Amino acid sequence: FKCEIMTTRPQVSVFGQDNVNNIVGQVKMPRVFQAPIRLDIVQFVHDNIARNRRQAHGVYEKAGMQHSAESWHTGRAVARIPRVNGSGTRRASQAAFGNMCRKGRMFAPLKIWRRWHRKVNLTQKRHALAAAIAATAIPGIVMARGHHIMDLPEIPLVLEKITAEKTKEFIALLKRFGAGEELERCRNSRKVNSSKGKWRNRRYVLRRGPLIIYSDDDQKKLLTAARNIPGVELMNVHRMNLLRLAPGGHIGRLVVWTQNAFKELDKVFLMEKTGYRYARPIMANADLGSIINSDQVQKILRPAKTNAVNHTNQKKNPLKNRTIMKHLNPFMETKEKMEKAAEEEAKQARAKFVKEHRKLKKAGKKWMKGVLEELAEATKPEEKAKFKYEDEEVLSVHEVMSEEEEATGGKEEEKEGKDEGKKEGKKEAKKEAKKEAKKEAKKEAKKEAKKEAKKEAKKEKKKK
């Protein structure tokens, strides 16, 4: 890593634009680089200054309020929200005006007389600007912001002059001084804006790269040479802006100075900013570790306590701590023994019950088996033989067939299929015979009913 911290040295090297190793001379370090870095002031000022670019916007003052609606008041078991007048349409009696209603206004409609802009204290703005400039001279802060400065010769980087008139020449100049990786990072970071800004002329966003600070005495063609390079920005030393020195409120931007601009820094802060004094640092030495470990501090401190016992009177939960519970409730131990004895007794009773139940179950199975055997013996010899045949078939399915049985297995299956077909045919024939018998029985019943009806009619005629 080639960069060196320059705020502790009185002189800064000035490089010629043609060669990195060509150090033209030395420049005195401006006083502003010794200003305290107050991140809180930078963020506060940046937040308020950034609001001054906003334009007032609001909604139409009558939006959502152009309905003929009136509340029904109490007594109708409905909400007291205003409801549309009329009848005969679905819109009638619907709620209106409220932000929760269909076609209603928004909650707290935006007004153009909102306080969009902020006034910032002038001294605070100057403190923030000085802190942002001082942070650009510390390599750790610059790298923490994301800049690639490993190949830069020094921080801050001061060039004698920049005479590039073409964009190609200016890019070659930056690459010559080790900023090529930084330019590549900025160019590859271009992406579509993730917010609504993509619809508002801010479609793409990219990372910020080197900031070139020049003076009025520098070449004016520098502005046209650097304006089309992604991530590169230019700024006049007499018109420095915190929004560019600390984008997003994050200090430590990579800055390339021209010699004229670097020399005029003291003039800007001491003469142009009349009455301004640099902020006093909160600590004269910011190295807190060296202060704590110094002999002056260590000899005053008392030795560290090694045997200290904290929280001696700590209250413990008796529901989780058995010792405390025994102390509070001496009967607890006896109660636990009684519960264990009852649990063991219940366990033994359960085992005894299960044993007796299994014994009865076994006896029941044995009795059922004997009943089934008696029934089998009481059946006819033909049916008994048939049952035996079916049992042998079922058992033969589970046995392993030999090679000869496999050869003859297909023929047996065909015979079985034919037998099943005959059985099904017999079943269908029986069903048809039953249907015909039912039809004939119905016809005979109808005939008998008609005969009886005729007989009754004749008897009634004779009586008359």
Side-chain angles (χ1 to χ4, degrees):
F1 183 61
K2 300 177 182 178
C3 291
E4 298 178 7
I5 298 177
M6 288 305 193
T7 54
T8 58
R9 296 172 61 184
Q11 300 290 328
V12 180
S13 301
V14 179
F15 294 89
Q17 64 173 347
D18 298 328
N19 190 356
V20 184
N21 300 320
N22 182 19
I23 298 177
V24 178
Q26 301 285 330
V27 180
K28 181 183 176 182
M29 174 69 74
R31 171 71 177 80
V32 68
F33 284 98
Q34 297 177 8
I37 299 172
R38 293 289 302 275
L39 184 60
D40 54 340
I41 297 177
V42 172
Q43 289 178 343
F44 173 78
V45 173
H46 181 281
D47 185 33
N48 286 288
I49 290 176
R51 296 182 185 186
N52 295 330
R53 293 184 60 190
R54 296 190 294 181
Q55 291 182 346
H57 63 275
V59 297
Y60 179 49
E61 59 182 1
K62 294 183 180 179
M65 300 295 289
Q66 294 177 303
H67 302 288
S68 175
E70 189 178 0
S71 175
W72 288 1
H73 303 291
T74 59
R76 296 205 189 184
V78 293
R80 284 176 277 188
I81 190 79
R83 297 176 182 277
V84 177
N85 298 328
S87 62
T89 63
R90 68 178 66 182
R91 182 58 176 154
S93 74
Q94 286 184 353
F97 297 156
N99 64 310
M100 77 294 292
C101 302
R102 178 173 171 266
K103 294 191 176 181
R105 55 161 173 76
M106 67 177 287
F107 169 76
L110 294 176
K111 305 293 184 182
I112 59 170
W113 56 78
R114 176 186 288 191
R115 191 168 69 99
W116 299 98
H117 302 148
R118 300 289 186 272
K119 288 184 180 179
V120 187
N121 185 278
L122 180 61
T123 307
Q124 276 189 327
K125 287 195 288 187
R126 289 173 175 176
H127 285 334
L129 188 65
I133 292 173
T136 61
I138 300 176
I141 298 177
V142 177
M143 292 178 68
R145 201 183 176 281
H147 295 291
H148 295 177
I149 60 171
M150 302 297 289
D151 298 331
L152 264 67
E154 279 185 7
I155 289 286
L157 180 61
V158 182
L159 301 181
E160 181 187 10
K161 58 183 177 179
I162 300 176
T163 59
E165 298 182 359
K166 300 273 188 177
T167 303
K168 179 172 61 175
E169 297 172 1
F170 190 78
I171 292 173
L173 172 66
L174 292 176
K175 288 182 177 180
R176 196 179 306 131
F177 283 89
E181 191 176 354
E182 177 69 9
L183 296 176
E184 189 72 19
R185 180 185 74 91
C186 296
R187 189 171 72 242
N188 295 336
S189 67
R190 184 172 180 264
K191 62 179 182 179
V192 177
N193 193 345
S194 61
S195 64
K196 293 183 180 179
K198 70 170 76 65
W199 308 323
R200 297 170 183 164
N201 204 25
R202 300 187 296 274
R203 185 156 188 81
Y204 297 100
V205 293
L206 54 87
R207 305 283 79 80
R208 301 292 180 92
L211 175 64
I212 314 300
I213 298 181
Y214 63 94
S215 177
D216 293 333
D217 299 332
D218 293 318
Q219 187 181 5
K220 301 304 177 188
K221 290 187 178 180
L222 174 64
L223 301 176
T224 56
R227 67 185 178 185
N228 199 29
I229 303 174
V232 177
E233 293 178 337
L234 289 95
M235 186 171 63
N236 193 304
V237 71
H238 298 285
R239 297 183 293 276
M240 287 188 291
N241 187 356
L242 182 68
L243 299 177
R244 290 190 174 182
L245 277 168
H250 307 296
I251 58 176
R253 183 161 188 185
L254 174 60
V255 178
V256 179
W257 304 84
T258 64
Q259 185 177 3
N260 294 330
F262 201 72
K263 285 180 179 179
E264 291 180 6
L265 276 175
D266 282 332
K267 178 183 174 183
V268 168
F269 278 91
L270 297 178
M271 296 179 66
E272 293 182 6
K273 301 182 186 299
T274 56
Y276 174 66
R277 293 183 180 180
Y278 292 108
R280 288 182 298 176
I282 298 172
M283 297 177 64
N285 182 9
D287 191 358
L288 189 62
S290 64
I291 294 172
I292 293 173
N293 296 321
S294 63
D295 296 335
Q296 292 86 348
V297 175
Q298 290 295 324
K299 71 181 181 181
I300 297 171
L301 297 176
R302 62 169 175 76
K305 292 181 179 180
T306 55
N307 299 325
V309 179
N310 297 325
H311 305 292
T312 54
N313 297 325
Q314 184 180 7
K315 183 180 177 181
K316 296 182 180 179
N317 187 0
L319 298 175
K320 296 181 179 179
N321 194 315
R322 293 173 56 83
T323 307
I324 300 298
M325 176 58 87
K326 287 179 182 179
H327 180 70
L328 293 174
N329 184 13
F331 180 69
M332 190 195 73
E333 195 169 357
T334 308
K335 185 181 176 183
E336 287 180 352
K337 289 180 180 178
M338 292 169 65
E339 288 176 353
K340 282 184 179 179
E343 187 179 349
E344 188 67 26
E345 188 178 349
K347 191 175 180 181
Q348 291 176 1
R350 171 69 180 169
K352 186 178 179 182
F353 171 77
V354 170
K355 188 176 180 180
E356 291 177 355
H357 178 72
R358 286 175 179 170
K359 190 175 180 181
L360 290 171
K361 194 174 180 181
K362 191 175 182 181
K365 284 184 178 180
K366 190 175 180 181
W367 177 80
M368 192 67 187
K369 188 177 181 181
V371 171
L372 291 173
E373 288 177 355
E374 289 178 0
L375 286 171
E377 290 175 0
T379 53
K380 295 179 182 179
E382 295 177 359
E383 291 179 355
K384 192 174 180 181
K386 184 180 178 182
F387 292 149
K388 282 183 180 179
Y389 178 74
E390 288 177 357
D391 291 340
E392 288 173 1
E393 284 183 347
V394 172
L395 289 170
S396 64
V397 172
H398 297 287
E399 294 175 356
V400 180
M401 295 176 67
S402 61
E403 294 180 358
E404 295 178 1
E405 288 174 346
E406 287 179 0
T408 57
K411 295 179 181 179
E412 290 178 357
E413 287 177 358
E414 289 179 2
K415 289 180 181 179
E416 287 176 0
K418 289 179 181 179
D419 293 339
E420 287 178 359
K422 289 178 180 179
K423 288 179 182 178
E424 288 178 359
K426 289 179 180 180
K427 287 180 181 178
E428 290 177 358
K430 286 180 180 180
K431 286 180 181 179
E432 290 177 358
K434 284 181 180 180
K435 287 180 182 178
E436 290 177 358
K438 285 181 181 179
K439 288 179 182 179
E440 291 177 357
K442 285 180 181 180
K443 287 179 181 179
E444 290 177 357
K446 285 180 181 179
K447 288 178 181 179
E448 289 178 357
K450 287 179 181 180
K451 287 179 182 179
E452 289 178 358
K454 287 180 181 179
K455 286 179 181 179
E456 288 177 358
K458 287 179 180 179
K459 288 178 181 180
E460 288 177 358
K461 284 181 182 181
K462 287 180 180 179
K463 287 178 182 180
K464 288 179 181 180

